[in-house]
Amino acid sequence: MYLEYGTPGGGRRLDALLIGAAPGGTLGLVVVELKQWQTCRILDDTRVMRSDGLVTAHPVHQVAAYRSFFQHWRPQDAPPLDVRAVVVLHNAAAEEGAALSAVVGADVGVPVLTAEDLSAPAGALAELLCCADLAAPDAGQVEVFENIRWEPSSRLLDHVGADLEGNSAFALVGDQQDAFVRIRAAATRHLPALGQDTAPDGAGQGAVITVSGGPGSGKTALAVRLLGRIMRVHPATRPRFITPSGTLRAHLLDAVRGHSAARELFPAAGSLRGAARQAGALVIDEAQRIKRGGARTLPPDLAAVVEHVPLSVIFLDERQIIRPDEGTTVDEIRTAAQALGRIHHHLELTGSFRCHGSAAYTAWVDALLYGTPIPWTGHTGYDLGLAEDPFQLQHWIEQATADGHTARTTAGFCWQWTRTRPRGATTLPLDITIDVPATGPHTTTRAWKAAWNAADTLTDPDGNPLAPHNQLWATHTGGHQQIGCIYTAQGLEYHHSGVIIGPDLTWTDGRWTAHPKESRDANLRHLTPAQYLPYALNTYRVLLTRGTHTTRIHSTNPTTHHMLNQLILPAHAP
């Protein structure tokens, strides 16, 4: 029996896994999901609400996904597996188990056991646990199981790849298509084709391809389409997609949620070194956010990729490095590849497919932050304005949402984020407070308050979403009512974008000045103003380039607001 059995890449951790010798010589596996609940509220066949108000996966749905992993990741040379699954609620009454079973139906083939079942005689209990016909495995069978190198089946790769290639959100245009053709040609040379064991180059030299581009240049869309292509045309490479952005990873898992065994195709960034030794092809997005681990050259995890993976495609933007312990450059990757005798290709994406294709707007943002600020002269199809106060900004976001657009507000991380909330809470703490000065003799100072994005999904007592999990804040229902930050916005986009420039970055004496003590990021507060400045500029560059059609900016600092007022026409209150 294995406790806390982990799947490749740390994608899942099983409570218990029983191994036995099944009739006919096959290996029998029983995946056991343990729950301490006494009761829960069933919302539908995939979700339940625990007694503490947290909405989580239905345990039968959860353990069925674990079972699916073993069914779809067994390599062809592994012994046949008879995979079963069971849920054990050792504190719950029989009525609770019956209700959970009824909502999913008997066809799923996952029994739900409760406290009463666990008191059954040994033989009956073995029957309930789906292991009555299993004998103790011998040492050889255990060794065979432990030596299985789990890899995705061609069928799984084909289905997931087809979904990714057919998803309109990842359509390619312009220089994205040119880059796709060039990378596809490199894959054909360095990777074995469908049904083949060796690559055409034969020498095994391998290649490293770096792809860089600014915000909205289409890096992520290209990376996902490329993954889909490799899955379908080069399945023997066992391709993986890794990103240090938990937000981006959550959205990709959401995109393939119809495939319960697909999670391990998108391992967490902490599994990068292990994936480098397992995968024949690796796609890495947002590579500039990989931890350096104290290295002065290429981060160790990336060094392992360059050394071991036959074809790695690494997407990055050096101006999106937002923390001092992150970052890598194209030059570092090139130097490492050449030192190992690997072929290196570099591609640059110069187009702009966000901000309504407005290269003028992205150039204006770069001039504002890194050069000499210039007036916004407008661009057909893109709307930029200045919000006089956060109340006006909030009204604008709410109106855009009511009109059917995705609209979100982000801010610099200048206010404390309360991660936890009281049990059963249906509101989020209003951590952000901005004082709005009186505008005339008959007005008073007002305090605008708002909540950061939620650490966990917030629902009402009926399970209806009020606020999405922070990693899905940018796209899921209710996100417009919370404020996002760099970590929940990077790599994503929305139609209307509101940006609050906080007190950590101000315009003083004709230049930007950083105030690290205003940051609530423990990794940045200790920096000097000069050290903090590039990270602040990079952060606001990301936030200012999320909107596909329109952006409104508000600064909490009067001098900065005045400077922006000279560059941008103030937005009319809706």
Side-chain angles (χ1 to χ4, degrees), residues 383-387 393 396 497-500 550-554 571-572:
D383 177 25
L384 172 64
L386 185 66
L393 189 63
W396 179 73
S497 172
V499 180
I500 297 174
T550 180
T551 295
R552 293 287 183 269
I553 307 173
H554 173 72
H572 296 292

Side-chain angles (χ1 to χ4, degrees), residues 156-171:
L156 174 65
L157 292 173
D158 185 61
H159 287 179
V160 175
D163 278 0
L164 295 177
E165 288 194 293
N167 192 321
S168 61
F170 307 122

